[in-house]
Amino acid sequence: GDPVRIGEKVEWRKGIGVRHISCGKKADQVEELKEKSFEAILHGNVDASRGFAQMALNIQTNEKELYNLAQSLFDNLDFEGAIILYDKILKKNPNHIGTLMSKAAALRYRGKYKKSMRIYNKIIKIQPKHIDALSCQAYMYIYRIKEHKKAIPILKKILKISSKPDDIVDCAHKFAACGEYELAIKLANQALDKNPDIIAARMSKLYWLSSLMQEQKTEKDALAIINKYLKNDPKFFVYLLKYRFYVRAEKND
């Protein structure tokens, strides 16, 4: 990126144009170190990969390369190494959403839930309708922090933002994890109205209906719940539900 002055030695590089010879040497060094880093990853030698990556970054810092190398370490479960590289990116670009999401995930895997949650809060402050960050927050409250009530308003916010079947089904699963089976079933029906071929939603609905049925005091109540939520379901679904109803009633014949 620096100007080339008269008398300086330069070289031609395809795809770049004229560059300083010293820059060319650095670029070639970086390419060689990158190849060694990725080869080390392929052979499962994470420490060596990190070393080569660090040497490359000391010569030439590049946000895209930093991010790619950090993701390679993340994929190989070296979360500490990945976090070091994420922090380098965030030092220069503190609002890099992809890096913030990845760092929050790495912290979550390391069991540092409060730090992870602070990053998700930052992302949502920058982008209030960031579905993935909101979904991760709800996940943390349900499965890690174990504060289900805090997840429910987040899930309701997601449903106001998105009407995509996948987002609806994801929220349904999280509501069910909070014990909200009826709401989960209603959402499954919404998703199936949009796309009847979502098998995961269909089978989850079967499980949630069965769980709800088990909670009822009498067979009559159980049957009422079933009839309330059956909606254009295929024969196999109805047969499986009948089977579970009769097992619950101890009518094995």
Side-chain angles (χ1 to χ4, degrees), residues 142-143 168-178 184 187 200-201 204 208:
I142 295 167
Y143 300 106
I168 294 171
V169 173
D170 182 62
C171 286
H173 279 98
K174 288 184 171 71
F175 273 119
C178 295
L187 291 172
S204 294
W208 298 330

Side-chain angles (χ1 to χ4, degrees), residues 88-100:
K88 286 180 182 288
I89 298 169
L90 293 169
K91 191 174 181 181
K92 289 191 175 182
N93 186 356
N95 294 336
H96 191 290
I97 299 295
T99 302
L100 287 168

Side-chain angles (χ1 to χ4, degrees), residues 125-139:
K125 193 172 181 180
I126 299 166
Q127 293 185 12
K129 295 183 178 181
H130 198 290
I131 297 290
D132 289 342
L134 288 164
S135 182
C136 288
Q137 269 197 329
Y139 174 90

Side-chain angles (χ1 to χ4, degrees), residues 109-132:
Y109 284 119
R110 293 276 297 151
K112 297 179 180 179
Y113 303 135
K114 287 183 180 178
K115 287 184 178 180
S116 179
M117 192 63 83
R118 281 199 290 270
I119 294 175
Y120 289 130
N121 286 330
K122 181 179 179 178
I123 295 165
I124 293 161
K125 193 172 181 180
I126 299 166
Q127 293 185 12
K129 295 183 178 181
H130 198 290
I131 297 290
D132 289 342

Side-chain angles (χ1 to χ4, degrees), residues 187-198:
L187 291 172
N189 279 339
Q190 279 184 35
L192 291 165
D193 284 343
K194 293 173 182 288
N195 181 0
D197 296 325
I198 308 176

